[in-house]
Amino acid sequence: MCSQIPDHAVSQGFVDEHCFMPAHPLCRFLPTFAADRSRGTDGKTCNKFYKKHPVLTPGILTLFCAHTECIGFSLMTDQRGPTLHFIYNRFKTAPKMIVYDNACNLHRYVLRRAPQFFSSTLFRIDRLHIRNHDGCSSGYDLRQYPASMLVSPGVTLGQLNTQVAEQVNALLENVRTQVCFTSTRKFDH
């Protein structure tokens, strides 16, 4: 069982209030890291293109298990992708593998903040989005690994649906406009 979140963590804004993960209650809070104060100056090598809009929210990040079940979602507050809090605040141990369209930058991000927590996690870019990356190591390319590799009990890499988030996003297209124009304050209520 996770330890209880201290009251001062909530009052100081450490707790992610834009996250819904009913089976994974908060078990810790993420401190402020020195890397957060020097953002953008670490010599990153990936040149992934980020679209930005001056008014619209960046979107919703959904998290799925290897069996394509939705674990939860978080309202993104930054166009560059999720911060560490989405997994770090909700899981006692890090997942064995994270397949994500921006896994190269997420990997670098977590290694600067919680390297011990993610020390055994593999980071891979999904099959669709790898083409959007220029300068990434081929080690992030999911296609470089054997299809027989077991990623979860009963699921091999060849069976893994790396597009489940995109498929769900297509189903949510009907509410896209409302979500994009909803501020984080309104979204939470």
Side-chain angles (χ1 to χ4, degrees), residues 1-2 16-27 61-64 69-74 86 89-91:
M1 186 72 184
C2 291
D16 176 26
E17 55 199 44
H18 310 299
C19 184
F20 179 74
M21 296 183 78
H24 295 278
L26 286 166
C27 60
L61 176 72
T62 50
L63 183 64
F64 292 85
E69 294 176 10
C70 185
I71 296 171
F73 65 90
S74 180
F86 192 53
N89 287 2
R90 305 281 178 155
F91 290 85

Side-chain angles (χ1 to χ4, degrees), residues 4-19 25-32 74 77 83 85-86 89-90 188:
Q4 191 171 7
I5 302 298
D7 290 336
H8 74 277
V10 177
S11 66
Q12 293 175 10
F14 291 119
V15 176
D16 176 26
E17 55 199 44
H18 310 299
C19 184
L26 286 166
C27 60
R28 72 179 64 79
F29 64 93
L30 190 65
T32 301
S74 180
T77 57
T83 55
H85 64 81
F86 192 53
N89 287 2
R90 305 281 178 155
D188 291 332

Side-chain angles (χ1 to χ4, degrees), residues 20 41-42 50 68-69 77 144 147 158 184-185:
F20 179 74
T41 60
D42 61 355
Y50 297 103
T68 68
E69 294 176 10
T77 57
Q144 301 295 318
T184 55
R185 197 171 132 262

